[in-house]
Coordinates of all heavy atoms in Angstrom, one line a residue:
M27 N 0.8 -1.2 0.0 CA 0.0 0.0 0.0 C 0.9 1.2 0.0 O 0.5 2.2 -0.7 CB -0.9 0.0 1.2 CG -2.1 -1.0 1.0 SD -3.2 -1.0 2.5 CE -3.7 0.7 2.6
K28 N 2.0 1.2 0.8 CA 2.8 2.4 0.8 C 3.4 2.7 -0.6 O 3.4 3.9 -1.0 CB 4.0 2.1 1.8 CG 3.6 2.2 3.2 CD 4.8 2.0 4.1 CE 4.5 1.9 5.6 NZ 5.7 1.7 6.4
F29 N 3.8 1.7 -1.3 CA 4.3 1.9 -2.7 C 3.3 2.5 -3.6 O 3.6 3.5 -4.3 CB 4.8 0.5 -3.2 CG 5.3 0.6 -4.6 CD1 6.5 1.1 -5.0 CD2 4.5 0.1 -5.7 CE1 6.9 1.2 -6.3 CE2 4.9 0.1 -7.0 CZ 6.1 0.7 -7.3
V30 N 2.1 2.0 -3.6 CA 1.0 2.5 -4.4 C 0.6 3.9 -4.0 O 0.5 4.8 -4.9 CB -0.2 1.5 -4.4 CG1 -1.4 2.2 -5.1 CG2 0.1 0.2 -5.0
A31 N 0.5 4.1 -2.7 CA 0.2 5.5 -2.3 C 1.2 6.5 -2.7 O 0.9 7.6 -3.2 CB 0.0 5.5 -0.8
M32 N 2.5 6.1 -2.6 CA 3.6 7.0 -3.0 C 3.5 7.3 -4.5 O 3.7 8.4 -4.9 CB 4.9 6.3 -2.6 CG 6.1 7.2 -2.9 SD 7.7 6.4 -2.6 CE 7.7 5.0 -3.8
Q33 N 3.3 6.2 -5.3 CA 3.2 6.4 -6.7 C 2.0 7.4 -7.1 O 2.1 8.2 -8.0 CB 2.9 5.1 -7.4 CG 4.1 4.2 -7.6 CD 3.8 3.0 -8.5 OE1 2.7 2.4 -8.4 NE2 4.7 2.7 -9.4
Q34 N 0.9 7.3 -6.3 CA -0.2 8.2 -6.6 C -0.1 9.5 -5.9 O -1.1 10.3 -5.9 CB -1.5 7.5 -6.2 CG -1.7 6.2 -7.1 CD -3.0 5.5 -6.7 OE1 -3.9 6.0 -6.0 NE2 -3.1 4.3 -7.2
K35 N 1.0 9.7 -5.2 CA 1.3 11.0 -4.5 C 0.2 11.2 -3.4 O -0.4 12.3 -3.3 CB 1.4 12.2 -5.4 CG 2.6 12.0 -6.3 CD 2.8 13.2 -7.2 CE 3.9 13.2 -8.2 NZ 4.8 12.1 -8.4
I36 N -0.2 10.2 -2.7 CA -1.2 10.2 -1.6 C -0.4 9.9 -0.3 O 0.3 8.9 -0.3 CB -2.3 9.3 -1.9 CG1 -3.1 9.6 -3.2 CG2 -3.3 9.2 -0.7 CD1 -4.1 8.6 -3.6
A37 N -0.7 10.7 0.7 CA 0.0 10.4 2.0 C -0.9 9.3 2.7 O -2.1 9.4 2.9 CB 0.0 11.6 2.9
L38 N -0.2 8.2 3.0 CA -0.8 7.1 3.7 C -0.6 7.3 5.2 O 0.5 7.5 5.7 CB -0.2 5.8 3.3 CG -0.9 4.5 3.6 CD1 -2.3 4.4 3.0 CD2 -0.1 3.3 3.2
P39 N -1.7 7.4 6.0 CA -1.5 7.6 7.5 C -0.6 6.6 8.1 O -0.7 5.4 7.8 CB -3.0 7.5 8.0 CG -3.8 7.8 6.8 CD -3.1 7.2 5.7
A40 N 0.1 7.0 9.1 CA 1.0 6.1 9.8 C 0.3 5.0 10.6 O 0.8 3.9 10.8 CB 1.9 6.9 10.8
D41 N -1.0 5.3 11.0 CA -1.8 4.3 11.7 C -2.6 3.4 10.8 O -3.6 2.8 11.3 CB -2.6 5.0 12.8 CG -3.5 6.1 12.3 OD1 -3.3 6.5 11.2 OD2 -4.3 6.6 13.1
T42 N -2.3 3.3 9.6 CA -3.0 2.4 8.7 C -2.7 1.0 9.2 O -1.6 0.6 9.6 CB -2.4 2.5 7.2 OG1 -2.7 3.9 6.8 CG2 -3.0 1.5 6.3
S43 N -3.8 0.2 9.1 CA -3.6 -1.2 9.6 C -4.4 -2.2 8.7 O -5.3 -1.8 8.0 CB -4.1 -1.4 11.0 OG -5.5 -1.1 11.1
I44 N -3.9 -3.4 8.7 CA -4.5 -4.5 7.9 C -4.7 -5.7 8.9 O -3.8 -6.2 9.5 CB -3.6 -4.9 6.8 CG1 -3.3 -3.7 5.9 CG2 -4.3 -6.1 6.0 CD1 -2.2 -4.0 4.8
K45 N -6.0 -6.2 8.9 CA -6.3 -7.4 9.7 C -6.6 -8.5 8.7 O -7.3 -8.3 7.7 CB -7.6 -7.1 10.5 CG -8.0 -8.3 11.3 CD -9.3 -8.0 12.0 CE -9.8 -9.3 12.7 NZ -11.3 -9.3 12.8
A46 N -5.9 -9.6 8.9 CA -6.1 -10.8 8.1 C -6.8 -11.9 8.8 O -6.3 -12.3 9.9 CB -4.7 -11.3 7.5
D47 N -7.8 -12.4 8.2 CA -8.5 -13.6 8.7 C -8.3 -14.7 7.7 O -8.7 -14.6 6.6 CB -10.0 -13.4 8.9 CG -10.3 -12.4 10.1 OD1 -9.7 -12.6 11.2 OD2 -11.0 -11.5 9.9
V48 N -7.6 -15.8 8.1 CA -7.3 -16.9 7.2 C -8.1 -18.1 7.7 O -8.2 -18.4 8.8 CB -5.8 -17.2 7.3 CG1 -5.4 -18.3 6.3 CG2 -5.0 -15.9 6.9
G49 N -8.7 -18.8 6.7 CA -9.5 -19.9 7.0 C -9.4 -21.0 5.9 O -8.7 -20.8 4.9
I50 N -10.1 -22.0 6.1 CA -10.2 -23.1 5.2 C -11.6 -23.3 4.7 O -12.5 -23.3 5.6 CB -9.7 -24.5 5.8 CG1 -8.2 -24.3 6.2 CG2 -9.9 -25.6 4.9 CD1 -7.6 -25.5 7.0
G51 N -11.8 -23.4 3.5 CA -13.1 -23.6 2.9 C -13.2 -24.6 1.8 O -12.1 -25.0 1.3
P52 N -14.3 -25.1 1.5 CA -14.5 -26.1 0.4 C -14.2 -25.5 -1.0 O -14.5 -24.4 -1.3 CB -15.9 -26.5 0.5 CG -16.6 -25.4 1.1 CD -15.6 -24.7 2.0
I53 N -13.5 -26.3 -1.8 CA -13.3 -26.1 -3.2 C -13.7 -27.4 -3.9 O -13.9 -28.4 -3.3 CB -11.9 -25.7 -3.5 CG1 -10.9 -26.8 -3.1 CG2 -11.5 -24.4 -2.8 CD1 -9.4 -26.5 -3.6
P54 N -13.9 -27.3 -5.2 CA -14.3 -28.5 -6.0 C -13.5 -29.8 -5.7 O -14.0 -30.9 -5.7 CB -14.2 -28.1 -7.4 CG -14.4 -26.6 -7.4 CD -13.7 -26.2 -6.1
A55 N -12.2 -29.6 -5.5 CA -11.3 -30.8 -5.3 C -11.0 -31.1 -3.8 O -10.0 -31.8 -3.5 CB -10.0 -30.6 -6.0
G56 N -11.8 -30.5 -2.9 CA -11.5 -30.8 -1.5 C -11.6 -29.5 -0.6 O -12.7 -28.9 -0.5
F57 N -10.5 -29.0 -0.1 CA -10.5 -27.8 0.7 C -9.4 -26.9 0.2 O -8.3 -27.3 -0.3 CB -10.3 -28.2 2.2 CG -11.4 -28.9 2.8 CD1 -11.4 -30.3 2.8 CD2 -12.5 -28.2 3.3 CE1 -12.5 -31.0 3.3 CE2 -13.6 -28.9 3.8 CZ -13.6 -30.3 3.8
G58 N -9.6 -25.6 0.5 CA -8.6 -24.6 0.1 C -8.5 -23.5 1.1 O -9.4 -23.4 2.0
I59 N -7.5 -22.7 1.0 CA -7.3 -21.6 1.9 C -8.1 -20.4 1.4 O -8.2 -20.1 0.2 CB -5.8 -21.2 2.0 CG1 -5.1 -22.4 2.6 CG2 -5.6 -19.9 2.8 CD1 -3.6 -22.2 2.6
Q60 N -8.7 -19.6 2.3 CA -9.4 -18.4 2.0 C -8.9 -17.3 3.0 O -8.6 -17.6 4.1 CB -10.9 -18.5 2.1 CG -11.4 -19.1 3.4 CD -12.9 -19.5 3.3 OE1 -13.4 -19.8 2.2 NE2 -13.5 -19.6 4.4
V61 N -8.8 -16.1 2.4 CA -8.2 -15.0 3.2 C -9.2 -13.8 3.1 O -9.6 -13.4 2.0 CB -6.8 -14.6 2.8 CG1 -6.3 -13.4 3.5 CG2 -5.9 -15.7 2.9
A62 N -9.5 -13.1 4.2 CA -10.2 -11.9 4.2 C -9.3 -10.8 4.8 O -8.9 -10.9 6.0 CB -11.5 -12.0 5.0
L63 N -9.0 -9.8 4.0 CA -8.2 -8.7 4.5 C -9.1 -7.5 4.7 O -9.8 -7.1 3.9 CB -7.1 -8.3 3.5 CG -6.1 -9.4 3.1 CD1 -5.2 -9.0 2.0 CD2 -5.3 -9.8 4.4
T64 N -9.0 -6.9 5.9 CA -9.8 -5.7 6.3 C -8.8 -4.6 6.5 O -7.9 -4.7 7.4 CB -10.6 -6.0 7.5 OG1 -11.5 -7.1 7.3 CG2 -11.5 -4.7 7.8
V65 N -8.8 -3.6 5.8 CA -7.9 -2.5 5.8 C -8.5 -1.3 6.5 O -9.6 -0.9 6.1 CB -7.4 -2.1 4.4 CG1 -6.3 -1.0 4.5 CG2 -6.8 -3.4 3.7
T66 N -7.8 -0.7 7.4 CA -8.3 0.5 8.1 C -7.3 1.7 7.8 O -6.1 1.5 8.0 CB -8.4 0.3 9.6 OG1 -9.3 -0.8 9.9 CG2 -8.9 1.6 10.3
V67 N -7.8 2.7 7.2 CA -7.0 3.9 6.8 C -7.6 5.1 7.4 O -8.4 5.8 6.8 CB -6.9 4.1 5.3 CG1 -5.8 5.1 4.9 CG2 -6.5 2.7 4.6
P68 N -7.3 5.4 8.7 CA -8.0 6.5 9.4 C -7.7 7.9 8.7 O -6.6 8.2 8.3 CB -7.3 6.5 10.8 CG -6.7 5.1 11.0 CD -6.4 4.7 9.6
G69 N -8.8 8.6 8.6 CA -8.7 10.0 8.1 C -8.7 10.0 6.6 O -8.7 11.1 6.0
M70 N -8.8 8.9 5.9 CA -8.8 8.9 4.4 C -10.3 8.5 4.0 O -10.9 7.6 4.5 CB -7.8 7.9 3.8 CG -7.7 7.9 2.3 SD -6.5 6.8 1.7 CE -5.0 7.7 2.1
D71 N -10.7 9.2 2.9 CA -12.1 8.9 2.4 C -12.1 7.5 1.8 O -11.1 7.0 1.3 CB -12.5 9.9 1.4 CG -11.8 9.9 0.1 OD1 -10.7 10.5 0.0 OD2 -12.2 9.2 -0.8
R72 N -13.2 6.8 2.0 CA -13.3 5.4 1.6 C -13.0 5.1 0.1 O -12.3 4.2 -0.2 CB -14.8 5.0 1.9 CG -15.0 3.5 1.6 CD -16.4 3.1 2.0 NE -16.5 1.7 2.2 CZ -16.3 1.1 3.3 NH1 -15.9 1.8 4.4 NH2 -16.4 -0.2 3.4
A73 N -13.4 6.0 -0.8 CA -13.1 5.8 -2.2 C -11.6 5.8 -2.5 O -11.1 4.9 -3.2 CB -13.8 6.8 -3.1
T74 N -10.9 6.7 -1.9 CA -9.4 6.8 -2.1 C -8.8 5.5 -1.5 O -7.9 4.9 -2.1 CB -8.8 8.1 -1.5 OG1 -9.5 9.2 -2.1 CG2 -7.3 8.1 -1.7
A75 N -9.2 5.2 -0.3 CA -8.6 4.0 0.4 C -8.8 2.7 -0.4 O -7.9 1.9 -0.6 CB -9.2 3.9 1.8
E76 N -10.1 2.6 -0.9 CA -10.4 1.4 -1.7 C -9.5 1.4 -3.0 O -9.1 0.3 -3.4 CB -11.9 1.3 -2.1 CG -12.7 1.0 -0.9 CD -14.2 1.0 -1.2 OE1 -14.6 1.6 -2.2 OE2 -15.0 0.5 -0.3
K77 N -9.3 2.5 -3.6 CA -8.5 2.6 -4.8 C -7.1 2.1 -4.5 O -6.5 1.3 -5.3 CB -8.5 4.0 -5.3 CG -7.7 4.3 -6.5 CD -7.8 5.8 -6.9 CE -6.7 6.1 -8.0 NZ -6.7 7.5 -8.3
I78 N -6.5 2.6 -3.4 CA -5.2 2.2 -3.0 C -5.1 0.7 -2.7 O -4.2 0.0 -3.2 CB -4.7 3.0 -1.9 CG1 -4.5 4.5 -2.3 CG2 -3.4 2.5 -1.3 CD1 -4.2 5.4 -1.2
V79 N -6.1 0.2 -1.9 CA -6.1 -1.2 -1.6 C -6.1 -2.1 -2.8 O -5.4 -3.1 -2.9 CB -7.3 -1.5 -0.6 CG1 -7.5 -3.0 -0.4 CG2 -7.0 -0.9 0.8
H80 N -7.0 -1.8 -3.7 CA -7.2 -2.7 -4.9 C -5.9 -2.6 -5.8 O -5.5 -3.6 -6.4 CB -8.5 -2.4 -5.6 CG -9.7 -2.9 -4.9 ND1 -10.0 -4.2 -4.8 CD2 -10.5 -2.2 -4.1 CE1 -11.1 -4.3 -4.1 NE2 -11.4 -3.1 -3.6
A81 N -5.4 -1.4 -5.9 CA -4.1 -1.3 -6.7 C -3.0 -2.0 -6.1 O -2.2 -2.7 -6.7 CB -3.8 0.2 -6.9
A82 N -2.9 -1.9 -4.7 CA -1.8 -2.6 -4.0 C -2.0 -4.2 -4.2 O -1.0 -4.9 -4.3 CB -1.9 -2.3 -2.5
H83 N -3.2 -4.6 -4.2 CA -3.4 -6.1 -4.4 C -2.9 -6.5 -5.7 O -2.5 -7.7 -5.9 CB -4.9 -6.4 -4.2 CG -5.3 -7.8 -4.3 ND1 -4.7 -8.8 -3.5 CD2 -6.2 -8.5 -5.1 CE1 -5.2 -10.0 -3.8 NE2 -6.1 -9.8 -4.8
G84 N -3.0 -5.6 -6.7 CA -2.5 -5.9 -8.0 C -1.0 -6.0 -8.2 O -0.5 -6.7 -9.1
V85 N -0.3 -5.4 -7.3 CA 1.2 -5.4 -7.5 C 1.9 -6.1 -6.3 O 3.1 -6.3 -6.4 CB 1.8 -4.0 -7.5 CG1 1.2 -3.2 -8.8 CG2 1.5 -3.2 -6.3
C86 N 1.2 -6.5 -5.3 CA 1.8 -7.2 -4.1 C 2.4 -8.5 -4.5 O 1.8 -9.4 -5.2 CB 0.7 -7.4 -3.1 SG 1.2 -8.5 -1.7
P87 N 3.7 -8.8 -4.1 CA 4.3 -10.1 -4.5 C 3.5 -11.3 -3.9 O 3.4 -12.3 -4.6 CB 5.7 -10.0 -3.8 CG 5.9 -8.5 -3.6 CD 4.6 -7.9 -3.4
Y88 N 3.0 -11.2 -2.7 CA 2.3 -12.3 -2.1 C 1.0 -12.5 -2.9 O 0.6 -13.6 -3.2 CB 2.0 -12.0 -0.6 CG 1.3 -13.2 0.0 CD1 2.1 -14.2 0.5 CD2 -0.1 -13.2 0.2 CE1 1.5 -15.3 1.1 CE2 -0.7 -14.3 0.8 CZ 0.1 -15.3 1.3 OH -0.5 -16.4 1.9
S89 N 0.3 -11.4 -3.2 CA -0.9 -11.5 -4.0 C -0.6 -12.1 -5.4 O -1.4 -13.0 -5.9 CB -1.6 -10.2 -4.2 OG -2.0 -9.7 -3.0
N90 N 0.4 -11.7 -6.0 CA 0.8 -12.3 -7.3 C 1.1 -13.8 -7.2 O 0.8 -14.5 -8.1 CB 2.0 -11.5 -7.9 CG 1.6 -10.1 -8.4 OD1 0.4 -9.9 -8.8 ND2 2.5 -9.2 -8.4
A91 N 1.8 -14.2 -6.1 CA 2.1 -15.6 -6.0 C 0.9 -16.5 -5.7 O 0.9 -17.6 -6.1 CB 3.1 -15.7 -4.8
T92 N -0.1 -15.9 -5.1 CA -1.2 -16.8 -4.7 C -2.5 -16.5 -5.6 O -3.4 -17.3 -5.4 CB -1.6 -16.5 -3.2 OG1 -2.0 -15.1 -3.1 CG2 -0.5 -16.9 -2.3
R93 N -2.4 -15.5 -6.5 CA -3.6 -15.2 -7.3 C -4.1 -16.4 -8.1 O -3.3 -17.1 -8.7 CB -3.3 -14.1 -8.3 CG -4.5 -13.6 -9.0 CD -4.2 -12.3 -9.7 NE -4.2 -11.2 -8.8 CZ -3.1 -10.5 -8.5 NH1 -1.9 -10.8 -9.1 NH2 -3.1 -9.5 -7.6
G94 N -5.4 -16.7 -7.9 CA -5.9 -17.9 -8.6 C -5.8 -19.1 -7.8 O -6.4 -20.1 -8.2
N95 N -5.1 -19.1 -6.7 CA -4.9 -20.3 -5.9 C -5.7 -20.3 -4.6 O -6.0 -21.3 -4.0 CB -3.4 -20.5 -5.6 CG -2.6 -20.8 -6.8 OD1 -3.0 -21.6 -7.6 ND2 -1.5 -20.1 -6.9
I96 N -5.9 -19.1 -4.1 CA -6.7 -18.9 -2.9 C -7.7 -17.8 -3.1 O -7.6 -16.9 -3.9 CB -5.8 -18.6 -1.6 CG1 -5.2 -17.2 -1.7 CG2 -4.8 -19.7 -1.4 CD1 -4.4 -16.8 -0.5
E97 N -8.8 -17.9 -2.3 CA -9.9 -16.9 -2.4 C -9.5 -15.8 -1.5 O -9.2 -16.0 -0.3 CB -11.2 -17.5 -1.9 CG -12.3 -16.5 -2.0 CD -13.6 -17.1 -1.4 OE1 -13.8 -18.3 -1.5 OE2 -14.5 -16.3 -1.0
V98 N -9.4 -14.5 -2.0 CA -9.1 -13.4 -1.2 C -10.2 -12.4 -1.3 O -10.7 -12.0 -2.4 CB -7.8 -12.7 -1.7 CG1 -7.5 -11.4 -0.9 CG2 -6.6 -13.7 -1.6
T99 N -10.7 -11.9 -0.1 CA -11.7 -10.8 0.0 C -11.0 -9.6 0.6 O -10.4 -9.7 1.6 CB -12.8 -11.3 0.8 OG1 -13.4 -12.5 0.3 CG2 -13.9 -10.3 0.9
L100 N -11.2 -8.5 -0.1 CA -10.6 -7.2 0.4 C -11.8 -6.3 0.8 O -12.8 -6.2 0.1 CB -9.9 -6.5 -0.7 CG -8.7 -7.3 -1.4 CD1 -8.2 -6.5 -2.6 CD2 -7.6 -7.5 -0.4
S101 N -11.6 -5.6 2.0 CA -12.6 -4.6 2.4 C -11.9 -3.5 3.2 O -10.8 -3.7 3.8 CB -13.6 -5.3 3.3 OG -13.1 -5.8 4.5
V102 N -12.5 -2.3 3.1 CA -12.0 -1.2 3.8 C -12.9 -0.8 4.9 O -14.1 -0.7 4.6 CB -11.8 0.0 2.8 CG1 -11.4 1.3 3.6 CG2 -10.8 -0.3 1.7
A103 N -12.4 -0.8 6.1 CA -13.3 -0.5 7.3 C -13.4 1.0 7.5 O -12.6 1.8 7.1 CB -12.7 -1.1 8.5

């Protein structure tokens, strides 16, 4: 998120936080991992925060490594 915010010339608050809930759920061939990420960006309007979160998900090395392999849900609190 810091990288994306910097590219977009947006100041990311120091108290930005991400909560990850990881679980196991059914998939056609058995069970798979699912992740729900809840991002809190105090003082930033929701639309801007969502734009940064979704752009960061597109360039994140972990997201790139797991894309298509696990279910990921993103939300801004």
Side-chain angles (χ1 to χ4, degrees):
M27 286 181 55
K28 286 181 183 180
F29 175 75
V30 170
M32 183 181 66
Q33 281 188 319
Q34 296 180 13
K35 297 183 182 4
I36 298 171
L38 196 62
D41 54 350
T42 296
S43 64
I44 303 169
K45 178 184 173 208
D47 290 311
V48 180
I50 296 175
I53 60 172
F57 293 92
I59 296 172
Q60 54 194 22
V61 177
L63 299 175
T64 304
V65 182
T66 303
V67 189
M70 184 177 287
D71 69 273
R72 185 179 200 84
T74 301
E76 287 177 346
K77 178 181 171 185
I78 291 171
V79 167
H80 288 283
H83 183 56
V85 298
C86 171
Y88 186 81
S89 295
N90 287 333
T92 60
R93 187 167 287 112
N95 296 314
I96 65 173
E97 180 184 335
V98 177
T99 304
L100 304 171
S101 62
V102 175

